[in-house]
């Protein structure tokens, strides 16, 4: 089935003239990223060139996608926008609220029992507003998007940071907060700072144990978790063309881990094959008519240093497999050095779990390559030393790999096959013994490995690798095992060395599925009633955030000064807290409980400056709010890294925090703060972070003159009465300042709709 073919054809019809206009405006050949950006300008054809990394630009995305955890808040906001139906094709996918524990059937039923209220809400609100609904068990949002909706040259936004996965099909797919999604669903322009461009030239060809996953693990090692911030990463070269479409998706997916706005690849035969295999030959036919516009200009790829802000060269023929981690996805460890690094750093060598799947690596090709390793162990009578878990990416993939015998292979090794859902990748894993917080090692094919991410245990050392490498390491049970060189011994005392993995890019018999899990929206949803029980602990209708009073913020106290890495997981944890994603007040009880307090080094413990007593962060903030005392949060570099969850911005806003002041922001989080009417500011001099003391008082002495390109001044009053001024930078344009003045972007939308 082809979804939204007419929309795709309309998008393609605009490409030739819009790209020609962009070439004239810029006076140069164009990268693929620029072609897609300029083809999606809200105002139509370009009449001027935009400055990368500086100009804010309005775009018109083709579609919106939301997963169940973020869709709740996005759609609660959309309910207030005063619209009868979404303006662009949109979908909701139920993949986050299913906890992995026993196995697919049992876990899915448990989730249906526990989350029935939320699933019914999402189903009915999708019906009302014309949104496609993918039921629990249908699959992980990004795999389902790749299989059904992604198309070369398209622009999509999604309320999940790994929306970028669709770059594997040549899209610009960008993770956003729910407020951004509301803008687009309401038929309004979507604003983005025109991205910088990083080119990655791939030469050679993968072979042996090296995989597409190793490419992005290598790129993450090079660029770090913030090296791609504000940039699109565009892959090209003979090596890029040699990759499978789903391999490209894996690389694009983990672009979120380098902070990239998104990643993409030019349209090629691998995309044609994948589109055809997933029943979308009509999209191939349409794309082929404008194929020259769905990749970068030849001059760009011939002389990339002239057209990209940064260029990285990787020879795939020389690329070694990587295992990245622990605790951060950019710590690259080539397999040949893994054992040495583990011993040097005292990482536990014994591997407790190997987990395969997630939105990053759950394609047919991924599973088939991992199964080829598992089959070798079965044949030699070797049982895994570690436990095994499999998360298929979609019901279509699960049905097909079961038909082709791959699940049976893994089950012979004692693997648990979990629901087609995110599971352990996002902390939805009820892991036996995790509460003991013992030091241990796991390895997975996921994208993130922050502390506590998978199982809530801060001492779990999680490592990221390819599915086939995960299979080999889990079978060996040894983090230092190198399957390229090392051997195992079976019960008969026979030495055994793995052959390199093999697998099929696409199923030889084609994909198959009985029930993909899709619910089309009602043709007319006007009569659908959305009822939220006021007594519900899971759902809560939103109230307007307060409008700024136009005055300087004076007498503010410090809630917390976060030290080191402070991701959206630290600001608003997932795991068991996912159940409250539709209830702003309840989920605010997890605000910043994972952040490390620079004063003392504890988590979830700060001093209440009104009483002098120590307390949990949310409780202390509620006390400040009750007393009418404004507060600030201070943070380190890349604050808000990780998931797109706007709850990390809405919670402090709801509880009365007035400003977040940091050394630097991750892109999505900074935007989310702006959308919710918060002040997101950075130190003009980074070392001023060190001047902030626990018992200081803060005055924003020139906020009344808040304006674009104008620094703000923070007066810091120390406990001994001394004062000093700290200059703060910001990136607010006039429209974003209007959001702040109105109390939030949504407040402004509601005002405009009721004029």
């Amino acid at each position: 089935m082809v979804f939204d073919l007419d929309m795709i054809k309309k998008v393609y019809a605009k490409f030739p003239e819009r790209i020609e206009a962009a070439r004239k405006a810029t006076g140069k050949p164009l990268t693929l990223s620029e072609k897609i950006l300029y083809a999606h300008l809200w105002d139509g054809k370009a009449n001027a060139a935009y400055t990368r990394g500086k100009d804010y630009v309005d775009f018109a995305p083709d579609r919106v996608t939301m997963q169940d955890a973020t869709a709740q808040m996005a759609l609660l906001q959309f309910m207030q926008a005063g619209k009868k139906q979404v303006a662009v094709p949109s979908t909701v996918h139920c993949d986050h609220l299913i906890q992995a524990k026993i196995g697919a059937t049992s876990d899915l039923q448990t989730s249906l029992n526990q989350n029935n209220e939320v699933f019914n809400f999402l189903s009915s609100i999708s019906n009302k507003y014309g949104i496609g609904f993918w039921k629990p068990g249908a699959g992980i949002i990004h795999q389902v998007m790749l299989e059904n909706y992604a198309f070369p040259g398209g622009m999509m936004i999604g309320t999940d940071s790994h929306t970028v996965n669709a770059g594997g099909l040549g899209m610009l797919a960008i993770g956003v907060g729910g407020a951004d999604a509301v803008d687009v669903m309401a038929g309004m322009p979507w604003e983005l700072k025109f991205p910088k461009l990083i080119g990655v030239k791939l030469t050679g060809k993968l072979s042996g144990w090296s995989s597409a996953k190793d490419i992005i693990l290598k790129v993450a090692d090079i660029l770090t978790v913030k090296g791609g911030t504000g940039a699109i990463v565009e892959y090209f070269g003979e090596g890029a063309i040699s990759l499978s479409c789903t391999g490209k998706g894996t690389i694009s997916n983990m672009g979120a881990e380098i902070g990239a706005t998104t990643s993409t690849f030019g349209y090629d035969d691998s995309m044609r094959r994948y589109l055809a295999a997933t029943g979308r030959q009509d999209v191939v036919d349409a794309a082929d008519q404008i194929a020259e516009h769905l990749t970068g200009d030849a001059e760009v790829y011939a002389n990339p240093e002239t057209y990209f802000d940064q260029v990285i060269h990787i020879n795939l023929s020389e690329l070694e497999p990587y295992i990245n981690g622990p605790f951060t996805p950019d710590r690259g460890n080539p397999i040949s050095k893994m054992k040495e690094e583990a011993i040097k750093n005292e990482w536990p060598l014994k591997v407790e779990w190997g987990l395969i799947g997630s939105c990053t690596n759950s394609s047919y090709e991924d599973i088939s390559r991992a199964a080829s390793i598992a089959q070798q162990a079965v044949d030699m009578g070797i049982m895994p030393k570690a436990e095994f878990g499999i998360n298929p990416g979609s019901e279509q993939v699960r049905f097909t790999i079961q038909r082709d015998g791959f699940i049976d292979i893994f089950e012979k090794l004692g693997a648990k096959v979990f629901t087609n859902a995110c599971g352990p990748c996002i902390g939805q894993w009820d892991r036996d013994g995790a509460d003991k917080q013992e030091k241990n090692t796991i390895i997975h094919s996921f994208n993130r490995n922050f502390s506590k991410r998978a199982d809530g245990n801060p001492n779990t050392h999680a490592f990221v690798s390819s599915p086939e490498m995960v299979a080999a390491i889990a079978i060996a049970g040894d983090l230092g095992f190198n399957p390229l060189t090392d051997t195992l011994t079976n019960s008969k005392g026979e030495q055994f060395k793995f052959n390199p993995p093999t697998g099929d890019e696409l199923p030889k018999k084609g994909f198959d599925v009985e029930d993909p899990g899709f619910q089309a929206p009602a043709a007319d949803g006007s009569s659908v009633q959305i009822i939220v029980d006021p007594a519900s602990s899971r759902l809560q209708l939103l109230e307007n955030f307060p409008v700024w009073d136009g005055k300087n913020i004076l007498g503010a106290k410090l809630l917390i000064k976060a030290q080191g890495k402070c991701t959206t997981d630290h600001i608003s944890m997932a795991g068991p807290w996912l159940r409250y994603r539709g209830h702003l007040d309840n989920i605010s009880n997890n605000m910043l409980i994972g952040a490390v307090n620079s004063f003392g080094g504890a988590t979830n413990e700060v001093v209440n400056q009104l009483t002098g007593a120590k307390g949990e962060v949310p409780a202390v903030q509620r006390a400040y709010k009750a007393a009418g005392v404004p507060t600030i949060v201070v943070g380190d570099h890349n604050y808000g890294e990780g998931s797109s969850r706007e709850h990390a911005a809405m919670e402090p806003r709801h509880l009365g925090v007035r400003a977040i002041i940091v050394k630097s922001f991750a892109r999505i989080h900074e935007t989310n703060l702006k959308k919710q009417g918060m002040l997101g500011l950075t130190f003009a001099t980074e070392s001023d972070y060190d001047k902030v003391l626990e018992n200081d008082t803060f005055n924003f002495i020139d906020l009344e003159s808040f304006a674009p390109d104008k620094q703000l001044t923070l007066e810091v009053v120390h406990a001994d009465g001394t004062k000093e001024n700290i200059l703060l930078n910001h990136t607010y344009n006039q429209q974003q300042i209007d959001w702040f003045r109105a109390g939030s972007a949504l407040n402004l939308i509601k005002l405009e709709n009721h004029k």
Side-chain angles (χ1 to χ4, degrees):
M1 178 179 178
V2 180
F3 291 94
D4 310 309
L5 182 60
D6 288 342
M7 177 270 285
I8 295 171
K9 288 181 176 179
K10 288 179 181 177
V11 171
Y12 286 168
K14 299 174 183 176
F15 260 63
E17 64 175 8
R18 291 196 173 190
I19 289 172
E20 182 58 30
R23 281 204 190 94
K24 289 180 179 178
T26 60
K28 66 177 185 63
L30 299 175
T31 65
L32 169 62
S33 303
E34 289 171 312
K35 289 181 180 182
I36 301 175
L37 290 168
Y38 279 107
H40 285 84
L41 294 177
W42 178 261
D43 293 330
K45 291 190 291 186
N47 51 33
Y50 293 106
T51 303
R52 300 175 191 170
K54 181 179 180 181
D55 291 339
Y56 282 96
V57 183
D58 286 341
F59 293 100
D62 303 313
R63 66 177 314 114
V64 172
T65 183
M66 299 163 279
Q67 39 93 339
D68 49 356
T70 53
Q72 294 172 66
M73 196 58 69
L75 293 175
L76 284 166
Q77 292 177 84
F78 183 75
M79 288 174 67
Q80 300 186 66
K83 300 294 183 180
K84 293 182 179 180
Q85 201 168 42
V86 291
V88 301
S90 303
T91 52
V92 167
H93 304 257
C94 296
D95 62 358
H96 274 54
L97 297 178
I98 303 169
Q99 189 176 52
K101 183 177 183 179
I102 298 171
T105 302
S106 176
D107 293 346
L108 178 58
Q109 188 57 54
T110 298
S111 177
L112 291 170
N113 295 340
Q114 294 177 344
N115 301 300
N116 189 55
E117 177 187 12
V118 172
F119 292 146
N120 285 341
F121 167 74
L122 292 173
S123 174
S124 61
I125 200 169
S126 295
N127 251 337
K128 183 173 185 64
Y129 293 114
I131 298 169
F133 180 73
W134 290 80
K135 302 172 188 177
I140 304 172
I141 174 173
H142 312 303
Q143 180 70 24
V144 173
M145 291 306 302
L146 199 71
E147 291 176 3
N148 296 277
Y149 298 104
F151 65 97
M155 176 181 278
M156 173 174 69
I157 63 168
T159 59
D160 189 286
S161 57
H162 292 103
T163 299
V164 295
N165 187 78
L169 255 174
M171 292 194 89
L172 289 189
I174 301 170
V176 299
D180 278 351
V182 170
D183 283 353
V184 177
M185 290 190 293
M188 299 174 63
W190 172 63
E191 183 186 72
L192 176 72
K193 184 181 287 186
F194 204 85
K196 294 183 179 180
L197 300 176
I198 297 174
V200 180
K201 183 174 183 179
L202 303 179
T203 56
K205 190 174 183 179
L206 295 171
S207 63
W209 284 87
S210 297
S211 70
K213 185 65 166 280
D214 298 306
I215 297 172
I216 186 57
L217 294 177
K218 174 71 172 178
V219 170
D221 189 39
I222 294 169
L223 287 176
T224 78
V225 290
K226 61 181 181 178
T229 302
I232 293 175
V233 182
E234 185 171 325
Y235 293 82
F236 61 95
E238 61 178 354
I241 294 171
S242 71
L243 300 172
S244 68
C245 179
T246 51
K248 292 177 172 74
T250 292
I251 294 167
S252 299
N253 180 290
M254 265 198 76
E257 274 51 74
I258 57 172
T261 302
T262 191
S263 303
T264 195
F265 289 79
Y267 180 53
D268 61 18
D269 283 343
S270 72
M271 297 182 192
R272 291 183 177 95
R273 292 192 297 271
Y274 186 75
L275 286 166
T278 51
R280 291 175 285 171
Q281 182 62 44
D282 287 343
V283 177
V284 176
D285 296 341
D288 281 347
Q289 294 181 33
I290 62 160
E292 65 182 288
H293 301 306
L294 300 178
T295 189
D297 288 337
E299 300 94 320
V300 170
Y301 294 158
N303 301 286
E305 280 78 8
T306 303
Y307 300 100
F308 290 97
D309 298 289
Q310 180 180 354
V311 179
I312 295 170
H313 296 263
I314 298 176
N315 184 342
L316 303 187
S317 300
E318 300 173 354
L319 182 64
E320 188 175 353
Y322 270 70
I323 300 177
N324 283 24
F327 305 126
T328 186
D330 61 347
R331 182 169 185 165
N333 304 293
I335 186 65
S336 61
K337 298 179 180 178
M338 187 71 237
K339 186 172 185 177
E340 175 188 341
E341 283 294 303
I343 293 172
K344 181 176 69 176
N345 291 284
E346 299 183 346
W347 300 331
L349 285 172
K350 181 185 177 184
V351 176
E352 306 284 349
W353 270 89
L355 297 156
I356 293 171
S358 87
C359 63
T360 319
N361 278 110
S362 57
S363 68
Y364 185 89
E365 180 182 38
D366 290 326
I367 302 299
S368 67
R369 283 174 64 87
S372 75
I373 300 302
Q375 183 64 61
Q376 293 180 58
V378 171
D379 293 343
M380 287 299 295
I382 295 175
M383 290 299 291
K385 298 288 181 61
E387 293 190 73
F388 244 130
I390 310 292
N391 274 84
S394 70
E395 175 58 14
Q396 178 168 267
V397 166
R398 187 211 63 80
F399 191 94
T400 305
I401 63 173
Q402 182 162 34
R403 179 201 69 190
D404 292 350
F406 297 147
I407 287 181
D408 181 58
I409 295 170
F410 285 112
E411 288 182 336
K412 287 177 181 177
L413 295 180
K416 286 185 178 180
V417 180
F418 296 124
T419 313
N420 313 318
C422 302
C425 184
I426 59 160
Q428 281 286 60
W429 185 21
D430 188 358
R431 180 186 176 190
D432 289 341
D435 56 326
K436 298 177 183 177
Q437 298 198 357
E438 294 174 340
K439 187 176 180 180
N440 74 102
T441 286
I442 66 173
I443 186 168
H444 58 59
S445 68
F446 307 159
N447 39 48
R448 292 192 177 133
N449 58 345
F450 303 139
S451 175
K452 302 183 183 180
R453 171 84 179 180
D455 62 3
N457 178 1
N459 298 311
T460 292
H461 292 55
F463 293 85
V464 183
S465 196
S466 67
E468 50 267 48
M469 188 60 68
V470 170
I473 299 293
I475 290 166
D478 180 2
L479 186 63
F481 177 74
N482 181 352
L484 284 73
T485 59
D486 298 345
T487 60
L488 298 175
T489 305
N490 67 9
S491 59
K492 299 178 182 179
E494 298 169 328
Q495 293 291 301
F496 163 72
K497 181 173 177 289
F498 284 113
N499 292 318
T502 59
D504 293 322
E505 174 186 335
L506 297 164
K508 290 184 174 70
K509 301 179 191 175
F511 285 107
D512 200 2
V513 65
E514 289 182 349
D515 178 10
F518 175 68
Q519 170 190 294
D524 180 3
S526 59
S527 62
V528 177
Q529 297 296 309
I530 308 299
I531 299 173
V532 174
D533 184 351
S536 172
S537 66
R538 301 290 302 273
L539 296 167
Q540 179 187 48
L541 295 177
L542 295 175
E543 298 180 359
N544 289 1
F545 286 136
V547 176
W548 179 47
D549 62 8
K551 299 178 181 178
N552 290 329
I553 299 171
L554 304 175
K557 295 296 184 182
L558 176 71
L559 173 62
I560 187 172
K561 180 179 174 181
Q563 176 180 297
K565 188 183 284 287
C566 192
T567 72
T568 49
D569 280 81
H570 295 84
I571 305 167
S572 176
M573 287 186 177
W577 290 96
L578 284 170
R579 67 174 65 100
Y580 300 123
R581 283 283 181 88
H583 196 293
L584 182 55
D585 193 58
N586 282 347
I587 199 169
S588 293
N589 289 322
N590 79 356
M591 184 190 73
L592 285 159
I593 63 175
V596 176
N597 188 349
S598 68
F599 302 106
T603 57
N604 201 22
E605 183 180 274
V606 293
V607 174
N608 182 335
Q609 297 301 325
L610 303 179
T611 65
K614 292 182 178 179
E616 296 180 344
V617 179
V620 171
Q621 179 54 38
R622 288 185 187 274
Y624 285 133
K625 183 178 181 180
V629 176
T631 57
I632 68 169
V633 169
V634 172
D636 215 318
H637 275 299
N638 210 30
Y639 184 90
E641 168 194 343
S643 299
S644 68
R645 65 191 66 151
E646 65 183 343
H647 300 76
M650 295 184 78
E651 291 172 31
R653 181 75 171 104
H654 172 66
L655 293 184
V657 175
R658 301 299 295 276
I660 312 291
I661 305 170
V662 300
K663 293 180 182 177
S664 64
F665 283 109
R667 176 191 62 85
I668 299 176
H669 188 64
E670 182 180 24
T671 300
N672 286 344
L673 290 170
K674 292 177 179 180
K675 286 280 187 177
Q676 301 303 335
M678 288 279 286
L679 286 171
L681 309 168
T682 56
F683 292 103
T685 303
E686 286 186 6
S687 59
D688 284 346
Y689 168 93
D690 300 318
K691 295 180 180 179
V692 175
L693 305 179
E694 190 172 28
N695 54 0
D696 285 341
T697 300
F698 307 91
N699 301 313
F700 292 83
I701 59 178
D702 54 6
L703 187 60
E704 291 174 350
S705 59
F706 190 19
D709 302 316
K710 182 177 182 292
Q711 288 180 318
L712 292 174
T713 306
L714 182 69
E715 182 185 68
V716 182
V717 183
H718 299 302
D720 62 4
T722 60
K723 300 178 181 179
E724 56 185 317
N725 288 344
I726 291 176
L727 292 177
L728 304 174
N729 294 334
H730 68 84
T731 60
Y732 288 74
N733 60 24
Q734 189 55 56
Q735 176 177 264
Q736 294 165 348
I737 291 174
D738 290 343
W739 298 341
F740 171 75
R741 293 179 182 277
S744 72
L746 185 58
N747 285 1
L748 202 57
I749 291 175
K750 292 169 70 175
L751 284 172
E752 292 173 350
N753 284 340
H754 290 92
K755 285 182 180 178

